[in-house]
């Protein structure tokens, strides 16, 4: 049985491109608009997961990213908060 997992998406502008990044898997993509960057990231994550499954590393990768395997499917990590933090340097 397949699971639908939720992944964090960060989008920022770099020059004229929008860069999308998923911190759980450290997968990135880009696009001409924020929406395109997000859609391209979704495709990149799907491809990453397919290759990980083919190589036999999917379970380890998802566990290291905080996902929880139940008897029949994967469950998203239980997030308490998602926020930004400023630090002086």
């Amino acid at each position: 049985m397949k699971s639908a997992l939720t992944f964090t998406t960060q989008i920022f502008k770099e020059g004229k491109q929008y860069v999308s990044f998923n911190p759980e898997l450290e997968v990135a993509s880009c696009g001409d608009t924020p929406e395109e960057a997000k859609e391209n990231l979704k495709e990149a994550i799907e491809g990453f997961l397919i290759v990980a499954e083919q190589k036999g590393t999917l379970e380890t990768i998802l566990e290291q990213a905080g996902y929880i395997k139940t008897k029949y499917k994967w469950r998203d990590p239980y997030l308490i908060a998602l926020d930004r933090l400023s630090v002086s340097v």
Side-chain angles (χ1 to χ4, degrees):
M1 175 179 221
K2 288 201 174 221
S3 302
L5 298 176
T6 303
F7 294 93
T8 305
T9 303
Q10 298 173 351
I11 299 175
F12 53 94
K13 194 163 185 178
E14 192 172 278
K16 294 183 179 184
Q17 286 281 299
Y18 290 89
V19 176
S20 51
F21 177 70
N22 168 254
E24 292 97 353
L25 303 176
E26 297 183 359
V27 173
S29 192
C30 64
D32 293 331
T33 66
E35 295 79 17
E36 183 181 343
K38 187 175 180 181
E39 186 59 35
N40 290 343
L41 179 62
K42 181 179 179 182
E43 291 176 12
I45 290 171
E46 288 170 345
F48 177 85
L49 295 174
I50 288 168
V51 171
E53 187 172 30
Q54 291 170 347
K55 291 185 173 236
T57 58
L58 180 61
E59 189 167 314
T60 300
I61 289 168
L62 290 176
E63 286 175 351
Q64 288 176 349
Y67 293 84
I68 301 155
K69 187 173 185 180
T70 62
K71 189 172 183 179
Y72 299 107
K73 63 181 185 173
W74 286 95
R75 194 178 82 219
D76 296 338
Y78 182 70
L79 295 178
I80 303 299
L82 186 58
D83 204 350
R84 293 179 61 101
L85 178 66
S86 295
V87 178
S88 296
V89 289

